[in-house]
Amino acid sequence: MAKKNGNKRNASPVATGAPAAPSRQAASLEKHGPIWAASFENASKVYQATGSNLDIDVDKELIGRVLDALQKTEDTASIARWIERFAEVCKELSKYQEKLNEEYIQRWEKASKLGEENNAEHKRLQLEAERVEADREALEQRVAGIDELEQELATKKNDLLSLERLLKQREANAEAGFAEENEKALRQLEEQQRQLIVQRESDLKDLQDQKTALGEEIKQAARKLAEIRHSCSDAEAQRIDALDAREHELSQEKAKLSRDRTRLDRDWSELKTEQAELENRIAEGMEAERKGFALELAKVSAQREKAWEKVQTLQERLHDLQELGTALGERSPAEILENLERLTAENRELKRQLESSDTAGLQQDNQYLRDKVSDLERDIAALRPELDEARRELSVKRVAATELEAIAREKRVLESHKNTLAVHIDDLETRIDQLTNAQKAKTAFPAMSIMDTDKAFQASIELEHVPDLKSFAEELQHRIARAEKNVELFYPIEDIRLLLGGLAMSQLHVFQGISGTGKTSLAKAFAKAMGGFCQDIAVQAGWRDRDDLLGHFNAFERRFYEKDCLQALYKAQAPRWQDSCNVILLDEMNLSRPEQYFAEFLSALEKNNPAERLISLSETELPGAPNMLRDGRQILVPNNVWFIGTANHDETTNELADKTYDRSHVMTLPKQDHSFRIKEYPPASYSFSSLQKAFDSACGEHTASVKDLLGKLTENDFTKQLETDFGLGWGNRFEKQALRFIPVMMSSGATRGEALDHLLASRIMRQGKVTGRFDVSADSVRKLMSSLEAFWSGTGLDSLPVTSLDLLEKDIKRKEGGF
């Protein structure tokens, strides 16, 4: 590598020992020395770029010796020019080398980017090959039973594997080609540019050809797959065509549902708009009416103030007249006017006589009068003490009379005020009674009246439809498990099926069992899982009639005190809840006797027409009754409400009567030790109408089978023995309930035998009917047990009536043990 002298531009290039005085050669050295040094430096840079070193020691001493040697030749000037041109060439080579390096770096980056793109394309092709491989494997599974296609599929697999190996080989060759080209580019810089351009065009063309070839191979694979599909059996082709037709039908039905949904949304939007306009009109009307009432009230108040002012003025005038009458005594106004006129006439006569009399007469008269005056003065002096005494006495009496008069006057004024106030009080009492009666008439049912206007009760929601009952029973089991917060409820699928069957059979349910078996939790969780509400009512031991359950009417206040049960019945009919599945929970229903406080409901639920299931709240129509009350006094028991009562059997409870048991669906819940892995479902609200539709569909599907079973049961010895030994028979109610309960149980996943076993155990074998009786021997029970087993095996039912047989066996043991 060339060594540079840090002061070569200022130092003299003459070798050691040269003459001190400058000469022509020294001037040439001074002129050409730096050019030579720069030339060798440029040449050294060019060699460094190629990875080689130029071992030339470029310093002043060496250049000086070279110049000393050149001074002896005649071509010093030509050598100097050659050195200058060599320096320029080396400089240009250095610049060209830098450009080549920059272009090489750019082309290297482009080549790297192209390599990454090739790698991405290769990965995409690998993914495509994997997809083709997955399609091939799917085809292998579909035609696994066809021996003729095994060889062809194996061939296709080998072809695809060969294609994959070919792609990997091409990738390896491409990478190797890039490495070779890069090595050549480092050795031959000028040749690299052309080779890179040619190589890039070649690689792009190869990649395009590979892409085209791979596309053709994929198309060939698709055609072969289509051929394989066409080579399937006719049955498979027919099934595929049927699936395609079904898919087309589903798409059409989906489009139809989408159009219906759009139409319903539009109708709903129009209804909301009309409702908003109606509410605005009602609000404006009420505001105008309120303002009119306010103006009328202001007018009445002004008239009342004027009347009071007039009354006060008249009272003051009356007081003045009374005082004047007191001052004038008992004389009438006519007498007072007559005396006044008489005195006026006498006064005029006296004045006239005075003017016509003479002076002498006047003097005599005057003297006479003087004498008279003297006499009178003497008389006055004599009478003055008596007068003073009389005045004092008069003063005392006058004060007493004045006080009496003032008291009498105050009495008269107070009596007048009393009469006036009495009139006003009567008027105010009348108005208060009118306002009170009007207010009572508006709020006879305050809670239910609020539901008629509250948007939370009037706004309807979109509900989901119940799927087929078997899958719905499984889904409901998991929804009930997650219905309550902070607790998981595990109920066997058999209990869920019994619950669904009971819902179809009756609106009254009895959940019985020992405390802590989840009776209350099942009722609440079911309502929450279905998206309805559950009204919890704690039955009290002192309940005697329906007022304890519904409330009572206060005739004095003209108001009905609505209890929770009445509000829940009305709430279930509001638009928000009218298609939901709702529950009224009678917790500890046998603390009192349901046959007393629930008697009207037992009768109403027995009616075949749901529109006639009415409970009367009063004898006459009540003013201001809510909109959904019938005739202003009757509440409907809606279909979408189930009454679920929990019953414990201990010393604090009453035994339910037969009329309650016969009208209800009874479930006995044992202690829950069952668990399973809970599946997560999003919250949902199911439609009551869709649930009833699912029940009706199940009944339509299995009614014939159930009727056949009931017919065989009626003709069997089991039924005859019930009639002869136990005095029991089948009624219309039992048959009606069985035709609803058993089909729903079968559609939910249970068998006919399981459903019939539950009905017999809860309706026939229960305590007091067949079991628990003292007038029946153990042999009769044992004979009935044998008849039941024979009926089960003779009818071909799938399993034994385990629950019924267990009850009969326990009763036999009880009788044999003497209990």
Side-chain angles (χ1 to χ4, degrees):
M1 183 176 180
K3 298 179 181 179
K4 296 178 285 185
N5 193 316
N7 297 319
K8 64 181 180 293
R9 295 187 180 272
N10 297 324
S12 175
V14 180
T16 304
S23 63
R24 188 169 63 85
Q25 290 81 6
S28 178
L29 178 62
E30 186 71 22
K31 177 180 179 182
H32 299 292
I35 295 174
W36 287 20
S39 300
F40 288 117
E41 288 178 2
N42 291 334
S44 177
K45 290 180 181 180
V46 173
Y47 270 80
Q48 290 177 17
T50 59
S52 302
N53 291 330
L54 182 62
D55 295 331
I56 300 177
D57 191 8
V58 181
D59 56 12
K60 293 188 299 181
E61 185 178 357
L62 177 60
I63 294 174
R65 288 197 300 269
V66 171
L67 289 175
D68 288 340
L70 290 176
Q71 286 177 3
K72 300 176 181 180
T73 65
E74 297 178 355
D75 297 330
T76 302
S78 60
I79 292 173
R81 286 194 298 272
W82 183 86
I83 291 298
E84 289 177 358
R85 284 189 303 184
F86 175 74
E88 291 177 356
V89 169
C90 290
K91 185 176 181 181
E92 292 297 328
L93 285 175
S94 177
K95 292 180 180 180
Y96 183 68
Q97 176 65 30
E98 291 177 357
K99 291 181 180 179
L100 286 178
N101 288 336
E102 292 177 357
E103 186 175 359
Y104 170 74
I105 292 172
Q106 293 177 357
R107 293 182 180 278
W108 177 257
E109 291 177 352
K110 289 181 180 179
S112 299
K113 185 176 181 181
L114 184 60
E116 292 177 356
E117 292 177 354
N118 292 337
N119 291 334
E121 183 67 18
H122 174 68
K123 291 180 179 179
R124 189 187 68 78
L125 293 176
Q126 282 185 334
L127 292 175
E128 189 69 23
E130 292 175 358
R131 188 182 66 79
V132 173
E133 178 66 19
D135 292 342
R136 185 195 59 73
E137 292 177 356
L139 288 174
E140 282 184 353
Q141 294 177 359
R142 291 182 58 186
V143 297
I146 304 175
D147 297 333
E148 292 82 3
L149 297 178
E150 290 182 354
Q151 185 63 33
E152 185 177 356
L153 291 176
T155 304
K156 289 183 178 295
K157 183 176 180 181
N158 293 330
D159 293 342
L160 291 175
L161 292 175
S162 299
L163 177 61
E164 184 177 359
R165 287 196 297 271
L166 178 61
L167 290 175
K168 290 182 178 179
Q169 291 176 1
R170 289 182 179 179
E171 180 185 5
N173 292 335
E175 292 176 355
F178 290 147
E180 183 179 356
E181 293 298 327
N182 291 334
E183 185 177 356
K184 290 180 180 180
L186 291 174
R187 293 176 181 177
Q188 299 176 357
L189 293 175
E190 292 181 353
E191 188 68 15
Q192 180 192 24
Q193 182 178 6
R194 184 182 62 80
Q195 290 179 353
L196 282 175
I197 293 173
V198 173
Q199 184 65 31
R200 183 182 63 179
E201 293 177 352
S202 177
D203 291 339
L204 289 175
K205 184 176 180 181
D206 291 340
L207 289 174
Q208 188 66 28
D209 293 339
Q210 292 176 10
K211 183 176 180 180
T212 302
L214 185 58
E216 291 296 327
E217 292 175 356
I218 292 172
K219 290 180 180 179
Q220 291 177 4
R223 285 194 297 269
K224 291 180 179 180
L225 291 175
E227 292 174 1
I228 294 171
R229 180 177 179 181
H230 288 302
S231 63
C232 295
S233 64
D234 294 337
E236 182 70 11
Q238 291 176 0
R239 188 176 68 84
I240 293 173
D241 294 337
L243 290 175
D244 294 337
R246 179 60 178 166
E247 182 179 2
H248 180 66
E249 292 175 1
L250 291 176
S251 63
Q252 290 181 347
E253 185 176 356
K254 183 178 179 181
K256 181 180 178 182
L257 290 175
S258 178
R259 292 194 298 272
D260 293 341
R261 179 65 180 271
T262 304
R263 178 177 58 80
L264 289 175
D265 291 342
R266 183 173 63 256
D267 295 341
W268 175 248
S269 177
E270 293 176 357
L271 287 175
K272 293 296 270 186
T273 304
E274 291 176 1
Q275 183 182 3
E277 293 176 355
L278 181 59
E279 290 177 351
N280 292 334
R281 289 198 298 271
I282 292 173
E284 291 174 358
M286 292 179 66
E287 183 66 17
E289 188 175 357
R290 186 185 65 78
K291 291 182 179 178
F293 287 153
L295 292 175
E296 185 177 354
L297 182 61
K299 291 180 181 179
V300 173
S301 299
Q303 292 176 359
R304 187 186 62 181
E305 294 296 332
K306 291 181 180 179
W308 273 110
E309 292 176 359
K310 188 175 182 180
V311 168
Q312 291 178 357
T313 304
L314 292 175
Q315 287 177 353
E316 291 175 357
R317 291 182 62 185
L318 179 61
H319 180 66
D320 294 338
L321 291 174
Q322 288 175 349
E323 289 181 349
L324 180 60
T326 302
L328 294 177
E330 299 297 329
R331 291 180 295 176
S332 64
E335 293 177 351
I336 295 172
L337 290 175
E338 184 179 355
N339 291 335
L340 182 60
E341 290 176 356
R342 183 174 56 78
L343 292 174
T344 303
E346 290 178 354
N347 189 19
R348 285 196 300 269
E349 183 64 25
L350 290 173
K351 286 182 179 180
R352 186 182 60 78
Q353 292 178 1
L354 180 62
E355 289 175 357
S356 61
S357 63
D358 54 351
T359 307
L362 289 174
Q363 289 178 353
Q364 292 177 357
D365 294 334
N366 188 20
Q367 185 62 39
Y368 174 77
L369 292 173
R370 287 179 183 275
D371 295 337
K372 188 71 173 176
V373 167
S374 299
D375 295 336
L376 291 173
E377 286 179 352
R378 286 194 297 271
D379 294 334
I380 289 170
L383 295 173
R384 188 176 297 279
E386 297 178 1
L387 178 61
D388 292 335
E389 183 64 23
R391 283 180 177 176
R392 286 194 297 272
E393 184 179 357
L394 177 62
S395 176
V396 173
K397 292 182 178 179
R398 182 176 293 173
V399 169
T402 304
E403 291 178 353
L404 291 174
E405 183 179 357
I407 292 172
R409 186 168 56 251
E410 287 181 2
K411 181 179 179 182
R412 289 191 295 271
V413 171
L414 290 175
E415 288 178 351
S416 176
H417 287 178
K418 178 182 177 182
N419 294 332
T420 303
L421 290 174
V423 172
H424 284 285
I425 289 172
D426 292 338
D427 181 57
L428 290 175
E429 287 179 350
T430 303
R431 295 181 62 187
I432 289 171
D433 290 339
Q434 293 175 353
L435 293 174
T436 303
N437 292 334
Q439 185 67 18
K440 289 176 181 177
K442 292 180 181 178
T443 58
F445 297 87
M448 293 192 294
S449 298
I450 290 175
M451 297 183 194
D452 288 338
T453 57
D454 193 346
K455 293 182 179 179
F457 295 89
Q458 295 302 312
S460 60
I461 63 171
E462 186 175 357
L463 302 174
E464 296 187 17
H465 292 281
V466 174
D468 65 283
L469 290 177
K470 184 174 183 180
S471 59
F472 180 68
E474 297 174 356
E475 179 179 341
L476 185 60
Q477 180 188 27
H478 294 275
R479 288 188 178 276
I480 288 176
R482 290 290 191 194
E484 296 290 343
K485 293 183 179 179
N486 304 324
V487 64
E488 295 178 346
L489 303 174
F490 297 100
Y491 293 95
I493 189 63
E494 292 79 11
D495 290 346
I496 303 302
R497 292 167 180 165
L498 288 175
L499 177 61
L500 289 175
L503 295 175
M505 183 183 80
S506 174
Q507 284 186 254
L508 177 60
H509 294 242
V510 177
F511 293 171
Q512 61 185 11
I514 63 175
S515 180
T517 55
K519 301 183 294 296
T520 302
S521 298
L522 177 58
K524 293 181 178 180
F526 165 72
K528 292 181 180 179
M530 296 297 292
F533 69 84
C534 178
Q535 181 61 58
D536 191 355
I537 299 173
V539 177
Q540 303 298 320
W543 284 13
R544 290 294 178 267
D545 54 33
R546 66 90 182 270
D547 290 349
D548 297 317
L549 186 61
L550 297 178
H552 66 280
F553 179 71
N554 190 317
F556 177 76
E557 297 180 0
R558 299 187 64 80
R559 174 185 174 186
F560 199 100
Y561 283 84
E562 311 146 87
K563 289 201 173 182
D564 293 340
C565 182
L566 179 60
Q567 295 184 35
L569 291 175
Y570 195 85
K571 177 181 177 181
Q573 303 176 55
R576 166 61 181 84
W577 303 99
Q578 65 183 359
D579 199 23
S580 299
C581 300
N582 310 305
V583 171
I584 295 179
L585 176 62
L586 303 175
D587 199 15
E588 299 289 346
M589 70 178 301
N590 60 337
L591 282 177
S592 184
R593 294 192 177 277
E595 298 78 21
Q596 296 177 355
Y597 68 85
F598 203 68
E600 291 193 37
F601 287 89
L602 292 176
S603 300
L605 295 176
E606 193 69 6
K607 296 180 180 179
N608 294 324
N609 187 0
E612 296 178 357
R613 297 174 182 174
L614 299 171
I615 305 295
S616 296
L617 303 178
S618 66
E619 291 74 17
T620 59
E621 180 179 357
L622 299 178
N627 297 334
M628 289 183 287
L629 284 188
R630 300 287 180 86
D631 300 328
R633 67 185 188 89
Q634 292 179 319
I635 183 74
L636 176 69
V637 181
N639 286 343
N640 62 332
V641 171
W642 285 279
F643 297 90
I644 299 180
T646 62
N648 293 329
H649 298 288
D650 53 34
E651 65 276 6
T652 64
T653 60
N654 299 282
E655 187 65 24
L656 298 178
D658 288 343
K659 64 180 298 184
T660 303
Y661 271 123
D662 292 341
R663 289 166 171 80
S664 62
H665 169 248
V666 181
M667 283 182 60
T668 302
L669 298 178
K671 184 177 180 181
Q672 299 297 337
D673 55 359
H674 180 74
S675 64
F676 51 87
R677 183 177 180 182
I678 302 175
K679 296 180 182 179
E680 296 292 339
Y681 289 96
S685 297
Y686 289 101
S687 167
F688 168 79
S689 58
S690 68
L691 180 62
Q692 291 298 319
K693 186 176 180 181
F695 290 162
D696 295 338
S697 177
C699 293
E701 182 180 357
H702 301 290
T703 296
S705 175
V706 175
K707 284 185 176 180
D708 179 69
L709 178 64
L710 294 177
K712 293 179 180 178
L713 180 63
T714 303
E715 298 173 358
N716 191 264
D717 292 336
F718 173 79
T719 303
K720 296 177 181 179
Q721 188 177 355
L722 280 177
E723 294 177 355
T724 56
D725 296 343
F726 296 87
L728 299 176
W730 313 118
N732 294 332
R733 183 186 295 116
F734 179 87
E735 182 177 358
K736 179 181 176 182
Q737 292 176 350
L739 290 175
R740 293 285 294 178
F741 180 80
I742 298 177
V744 173
M745 285 282 290
M746 294 173 65
S747 295
S748 300
T751 63
R752 288 192 310 169
E754 292 174 352
L756 182 59
D757 180 28
H758 177 78
L759 278 182
L760 293 176
S762 60
R763 296 292 306 280
I764 304 300
M765 307 301 174
R766 62 179 177 82
Q767 190 80 6
K769 283 277 190 176
V770 170
T771 61
R773 295 175 56 170
F774 296 92
D775 58 340
V776 178
S777 64
D779 292 336
S780 298
V781 177
R782 190 177 293 107
K783 183 179 178 182
L784 183 67
M785 185 175 178
S786 300
S787 299
L788 181 60
E789 291 176 345
F791 168 77
W792 227 261
S793 59
T795 312
L797 296 175
D798 45 4
S799 59
L800 289 175
V802 179
T803 307
S804 299
L805 294 177
D806 183 61
L807 292 174
L808 294 174
E809 187 175 0
K810 288 181 179 178
D811 192 59
I812 293 173
K813 292 181 179 179
R814 180 188 64 81
K815 292 180 180 296
E816 291 178 346
F819 296 100

